[in-house]
């Protein structure tokens, strides 16, 4: 809470209550609104804590009244007066200061203001680029201020919870060498080393591991991370992680510690968070929800229809099965009466998501079944679909016949889309751990294996023999914290053995020389007494976005970038002078 110490104020206007009745107070803030009632002028004075009504009466002070006649919204003023109870009938129960008002005896203008580009009001819809250009005006809106205040409280609570558990906060470099997290690096030229570049960290991953080798045992950092990737509502080129690493732990320990901390943090935001959280292996999440970050607040789960169609004569189905694929479906409950064009839009979404097409059967609440494929299906197959998906009149069956992973993913996308369209109620907070991710994923375009999390993730002990022979089958000690269908955080146990790290890097396509060149410093550290260790990083922006009930992380970042990565306020990114380019040994293309 803001107080009046160290300032020209005696009190903060937004904190005045009936306890302050009779006090002479000096306030400072912004003119929020001015109402001229003929004989009297009312000004709502705004500060960080809120609004308070100030009354200007020519009988109390002619000078103050004259000043009140001339002030405009967003002028900055210092006001002195006496706190009194509002007259009967004028109490405002919607305002924390609504029982009192301040009768002003002296007033000073500290600064004037041009007419602001938009009104300081939560209810106002303003173009986002304009809001970001004048972000300092936007932040004056109570709603934006509330999000930043929540962010502060949550961040402080993380610090407190971590500090109580013996974690040390350590800063790691921003100018560094590339840390692979699967995104593109931002690179920074170096004046002192012509032709060489720093990379901005995609995360402090390698440094936090080195801190474990260094014997710190428990580290954390509220860390800024940089990833040059395409932006979305929940992605920014720079974002903040609560980054954590611990030594001598099993995956159980990291999860238990994180759940304990999250209970405190969620409480800070007024959310009851019951633990232990459910755990779901990655394979099950994909099978049941078609997503590694399943929104488990509603059903509409994926079901396997491969058995139902094992002898199908419908070419699309038999063809998919013959090439090793699966047939999976969901019951879009309540969508059986959707129009053809609405279902066609789902088909398009399936195609855009990589499927060859969508097979659908609508069971209207009255009338005949509608489906372009029903004529190819036997009675037994129709009955089988209805049984597996518990179909009732009014339901819509959506099926994808394709490679197993693709069928799951596409149905996962359709499931969310249908839930949105149907307005399925998704309230409250639902969190779970998704665990046991595959160590590698196959990259068809480049024809090789890449790390599904990052290359430092420890494979299951019992899968070590499969690294070279069957890389796709190797699972890892890994866990993502998923809340309401968003990945809030993720982590892994790490490889702490140099030889194993080399084997994994080799499987990722790096020969020994390349491994040494890129990760020699890590490999060396792992051979100099590295303890077993593991950790996690939470996406602070996303968590705050959820807690603040926002749909974009831009709403919970003080100075975010637009979706094209620019800053309308400063104009960044911007050109630099020819001299600056020369100094860093760069030539424009
Ligand atoms: N560095 C990882 C990430 O940013 C998190 C972790 O493994 O701790 O996703």
């Amino acid at each position: 809470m803001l107080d009046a110490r160290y300032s020209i104020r005696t009190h903060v206007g937004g904190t005045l209550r009936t306890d302050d009745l009779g006090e002479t107070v000096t306030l400072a803030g912004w003119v929020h609104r001015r109402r001229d009632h003929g004989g009297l002028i009312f000004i709502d004075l705004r500060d960080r804590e809120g609004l308070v009504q100030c009354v200007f009466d020519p009988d109390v002070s002619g000078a103050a009244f004259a000043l009140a006649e001339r002030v405009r919204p967003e002028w900055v003023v210092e006001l002195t007066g006496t706190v009194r109870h509002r007259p009967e009938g004028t109490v405002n129960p919607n305002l924390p200061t609504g029982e009192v008002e301040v009768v002003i005896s002296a007033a000073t203008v500290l600064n004037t203001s041009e007419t602001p580009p938009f009104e300081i009001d939560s209810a106002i819809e303003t173009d986002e680029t304009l809001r970001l250009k004048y972000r300092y005006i936007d932040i004056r809106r109570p709603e934006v201020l509330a999000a930043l205040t929540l962010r502060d409280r949550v961040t402080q609570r993380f610090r407190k919870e971590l500090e109580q558990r013996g974690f040390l906060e350590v800063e790691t470099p921003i100018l560094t060498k590339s840390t692979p997290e699967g995104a593109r690096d931002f690179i920074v030229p170096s004046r002192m080393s012509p032709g060489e570049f720093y990379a901005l960290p995609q995360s402090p991953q390698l440094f936090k591991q080195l801190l474990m080798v260094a014997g710190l045992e428990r580290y954390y950092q509220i860390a800024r991370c940089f990833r040059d990737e395409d932006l979305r509502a929940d992605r920014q080129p720079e974002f903040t992680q609560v980054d954590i690493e611990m030594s001598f732990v099993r995956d159980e320990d990291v999860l238990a510690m994180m759940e304990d901390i999250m209970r405190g943090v969620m409480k800070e935001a007024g959310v009851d968070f019951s633990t232990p959280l459910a755990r779901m292996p990655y394979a099950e999440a994909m099978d049941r929800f078609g997503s590694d970050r399943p929104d488990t607040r509603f059903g509409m789960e994926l079901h396997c229809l491969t058995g139902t169609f094992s002898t199908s004569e419908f070419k699309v189905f038999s063809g998919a099965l013959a090439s090793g694929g699966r047939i999976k479906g969901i019951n879009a409950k309540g969508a059986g009466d959707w129009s053809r064009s609405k279902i066609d839009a789902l088909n398009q979404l399936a195609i855009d998501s990589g499927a060859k097409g969508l097979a659908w059967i609508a069971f209207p609440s009255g009338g005949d079944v509608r489906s372009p494929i029903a004529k190819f299906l036997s009675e037994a197959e129709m009955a089988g679909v209805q049984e597996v998906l518990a179909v009732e009149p009014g339901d819509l069956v959506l099926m994808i016949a394709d490679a197993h992973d693709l069928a799951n993913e596409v149905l996962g996308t359709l499931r969310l889309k249908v839930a949105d369209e149907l307005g399925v109620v998704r309230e409250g907070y639902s969190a779970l751990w998704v665990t046991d991710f595959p160590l590698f994923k196959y990259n068809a375009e480049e024809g090789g294996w890449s790390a599904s999390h990052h290359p430092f993730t420890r494979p299951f002990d019992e899968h070590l023999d499969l690294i070279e022979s069957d890389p796709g089958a190797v699972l890892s000690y890994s866990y993502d914290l998923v809340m309401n269908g968003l990945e809030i955080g993720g982590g892994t146990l790490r490889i702490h053995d140099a030889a194993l790290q080399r084997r994994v890097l080799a499987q990722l396509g790096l020969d020994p020389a390349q491994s040494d060149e890129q990760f020699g410093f890590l490999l060396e550290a792992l051979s100099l007494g590295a303890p077993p260790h593991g950790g996690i990083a939470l996406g602070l922006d996303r968590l705050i976005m959820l807690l603040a009930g926002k749909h974009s992380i831009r709403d919970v970042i003080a100075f975010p970038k637009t979706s094209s990565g620019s800053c309308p306020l400063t104009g960044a990114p911007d050109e630099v002078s020819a001299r600056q380019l020369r100094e860093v040994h760069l030539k424009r293309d």
Side-chain angles (χ1 to χ4, degrees), residues 138-150:
D138 196 33
I139 294 174
R140 292 182 194 170
R141 297 162 67 219
E143 173 185 10
V144 187
L145 185 60
L148 293 184
T149 309
L150 175 69

Side-chain angles (χ1 to χ4, degrees), residues 179-181 202-206 208-209 219 225 227 239 241-245 453-454 456-457 479-480 487 489-494 534-538:
T179 42
E181 293 280 5
Q202 292 187 33
S203 83
Q205 184 61 35
L206 292 175
K208 68 176 176 174
Q209 291 190 233
Y219 142 97
C225 304
R227 297 184 191 177
F239 60 96
Q241 285 186 343
V242 180
D243 194 41
I244 294 173
E245 196 73 7
H453 197 84
H454 53 53
F456 321 110
T457 299
Y479 30 80
D480 275 4
E487 184 198 324
T492 66
L493 295 189
R494 325 297 184 192
I536 188 165
L538 299 188

Side-chain angles (χ1 to χ4, degrees), residues 151 181 183 186 201-204 222-229 231 234-242 537-542 553 557:
R151 186 180 178 116
E181 293 280 5
F186 280 103
Q202 292 187 33
S203 83
I222 309 294
R224 197 62 71 81
C225 304
F226 306 86
R227 297 184 191 177
D228 187 1
E229 53 192 350
L231 307 180
D234 62 351
R235 272 196 194 155
Q236 282 273 297
E238 52 180 309
F239 60 96
T240 306
Q241 285 186 343
V242 180
L538 299 188
L540 185 65
D541 312 281
R542 263 186 217 170
I553 63 170
I557 295 175

